Amino acid sequence: MKKRKILFLGETYRADAITWMNGLKQFGDFEITTWELTTPSTTFFSRLLRTLEFATAIFQIRKIVKLQQPDMVIAERTTSYGFLAVLAGAKPVAIAQQGRTDLWPEKSILLPFKKMIQQYAFKKADLIHAWGSVMTISMKAAKVDMKKVLVLPKGIDLVQFENKNNTDSEKIRAIVTRSLLPEYRHEVILKAFSILNQKGIDFELTIVGDGKLLPSLIELTTKLKMEKKIDFTGRIPNTNLPKLLLQSNFYISMPITEGVSASLFEALASGCYPIVSDIPGNRSWIKHRENGQLIPIDDSEILAEEILWSFENREHRNAAVLKNRQFVEENVDYNTNMKIISDKYHELINNSK
């Protein structure tokens, strides 16, 4: 039988994208071709160039479709690659919303334009992924045909992220695994640990990942005299992450916006106690002082207090860790969820012939 081909539009270096594509290869026996924008969006000039690249991208993508004749096109982000996917000239098309809403930042002058192209992508796509129920709120507000929406996380590899965390509970060993970007509020986390440091609380903090804030965060760490207690790893292969998680007893994440966080699931699977910002995307999975802590946005003092509370309440923490592992095994198993997604793609392809 001929192997089915999928064209993936998106940033192939991202862990979420890698998980998605690998799952489709493993459980759907798909052949994956990729295309992505090449211009970074770090400065005003580069963002201008990226906009120009986006404007001409459809011609490149249509050429790829004509030459390779994929059986399906998939894409992440409804306001960029998802829009390009529905214009690609191939059917069926599956697009994935990445956050609570892809209309971000909320005060962008391009918001009306983004809303327009998102509406078009929603209308023309054959399948829309909501990796969690929090994403469906904005979809319903946009009057999306919810019969086209599949609410299911991609899941995580529960063998790779195993339940063998034997970290010494006598010391706070915390880990942060979010990109070093403003919306993830690493500065708030550093200030919270500075409060703990001033109280004489011993800790180790590992900050995984890269981003434009790395130099300023290192500078702040030095200013707060915590450089001996904080390790900035930079970007690492995702295969190295499980070991770091198993060496940590706390997972900290303070985003101001969130859809569904694979990094949270990885931490829950690995026995890290979660302390996260109190926003809808996190509230879907974490109940305050039941299976983790929820912290008001941008509040370093409360974050410090809750880290200390959970550290001192070991029995609560141990019970939560066991509960969280059971939850991911039942709901976020990559083997189960990616098989469902792969089967759905084959069904869409068969029905489009």
Side-chain angles (χ1 to χ4, degrees):
M1 182 172 152
K2 182 184 174 185
K3 187 181 283 257
R4 296 283 176 75
K5 293 195 292 186
I6 286 178
L7 173 60
F8 171 80
L9 307 181
E11 292 150 352
T12 55
Y13 69 87
R14 295 178 65 252
D16 277 356
I18 293 168
T19 299
W20 194 2
M21 290 187 287
N22 285 347
L24 294 175
K25 291 174 188 175
Q26 181 178 351
F27 299 103
D29 195 31
F30 287 107
E31 178 184 324
I32 310 287
T33 302
T34 66
W35 183 91
E36 61 192 291
L37 295 163
T38 58
T39 309
S41 58
T42 52
T43 66
F44 173 79
F45 183 67
S46 65
R47 284 195 291 272
L48 180 61
L49 290 177
R50 188 177 175 92
T51 302
L52 293 173
E53 184 185 6
F54 182 82
T56 60
I58 191 58
F59 301 106
Q60 299 176 47
I61 295 168
R62 283 182 174 272
K63 186 175 181 180
I64 292 171
V65 168
K66 187 174 181 180
L67 288 172
Q68 301 195 11
Q69 297 187 335
D71 296 286
M72 184 174 182
V73 180
I74 66 175
E76 56 183 9
R77 291 202 188 91
T78 57
T79 54
S80 56
Y81 292 108
F83 176 68
L84 294 172
V86 300
L87 296 176
K91 295 283 274 182
V93 174
I95 62 175
Q97 185 167 294
Q98 290 305 108
R100 179 178 57 83
T101 169
D102 281 338
L103 299 175
W104 183 263
E106 293 175 344
K107 295 181 180 179
S108 170
I109 59 171
L110 294 176
L111 205 61
F113 174 69
K114 288 182 178 182
K115 189 175 290 189
M116 182 178 67
I117 64 175
Q118 184 188 58
Q119 287 279 8
Y120 187 82
F122 279 150
K123 183 178 179 181
K124 295 296 182 181
D126 300 285
L127 177 71
I128 303 166
H129 282 290
W131 305 125
S133 58
V134 71
M135 295 178 171
T136 64
I137 298 170
S138 64
M139 292 179 185
K140 290 172 182 175
K143 298 189 177 355
V144 170
D145 178 0
M146 298 306 290
K147 293 191 294 292
K148 297 195 298 185
V149 178
L150 177 62
V151 185
L152 188 72
K154 293 184 286 293
I156 59 167
D157 187 338
L158 296 178
V159 175
Q160 184 184 18
F161 294 94
E162 55 188 342
N163 189 22
K164 293 183 179 178
N165 192 320
N166 294 311
T167 305
D168 177 13
S169 294
E170 298 303 320
K171 183 178 183 178
I172 296 171
R173 288 183 168 88
I175 190 167
V176 182
T177 62
R178 313 309 299 268
S179 299
L180 308 188
L181 299 172
E183 56 265 34
Y184 293 116
R185 296 301 201 258
H186 290 76
E187 184 177 324
V188 172
I189 297 171
L190 290 178
K191 289 178 179 177
F193 276 93
S194 176
I195 293 170
L196 295 177
N197 197 41
Q198 289 166 21
K199 291 182 177 181
I201 308 297
D202 195 15
F203 67 86
E204 294 175 5
L205 174 61
T206 301
I207 297 180
V208 179
D210 199 2
K212 64 183 181 181
L213 294 185
L214 179 59
S216 64
L217 292 172
I218 292 175
E219 183 181 342
L220 178 59
T221 300
T222 303
K223 182 180 177 182
L224 296 173
K225 298 179 181 178
M226 298 192 298
E227 58 267 40
K228 291 182 180 179
K229 293 179 175 287
I230 297 178
D231 178 25
F232 289 91
T233 69
R235 183 177 293 170
I236 63 170
N238 207 47
T239 50
N240 292 356
L241 185 57
K243 181 181 178 182
L244 291 177
L245 287 168
L246 290 176
Q247 293 169 354
S248 308
N249 49 17
F250 288 89
Y251 166 82
I252 316 289
S253 180
M254 291 289 119
I256 57 172
T257 182
E258 190 74 277
V260 174
S261 171
S263 69
L264 174 58
F265 294 151
E266 291 163 354
L268 298 184
S270 304
C272 298
Y273 183 81
I275 301 180
V276 298
S277 51
D278 187 6
I279 55 176
N282 288 329
R283 245 177 266 138
S284 300
W285 320 106
I286 304 300
K287 305 303 177 197
H288 186 58
R289 292 196 178 180
E290 289 185 24
N291 67 327
Q293 316 286 95
L294 292 170
I295 311 299
I297 289 174
D298 290 341
D299 198 323
S300 298
E301 291 185 4
I302 291 183
L303 175 56
E305 289 171 8
E306 292 296 332
I307 293 172
L308 190 55
W309 183 91
S310 54
F311 178 61
E312 291 174 343
N313 286 269
R314 186 189 301 183
E315 287 188 13
H316 159 79
R317 201 168 72 241
N318 291 343
V321 163
L322 291 174
K323 185 187 296 185
N324 288 336
R325 175 68 192 193
Q326 182 180 354
F327 170 81
V328 294
E329 287 178 356
E330 293 174 355
N331 298 280
V332 200
D333 186 343
Y334 164 84
N335 292 342
T336 300
N337 293 9
M338 281 308 307
K339 179 68 167 62
I340 293 170
I341 292 169
S342 297
D343 289 348
K344 183 65 177 177
Y345 286 9
H346 278 291
E347 178 188 329
L348 286 170
I349 292 168
N350 291 335
N351 289 342
S352 70
K353 298 301 182 185

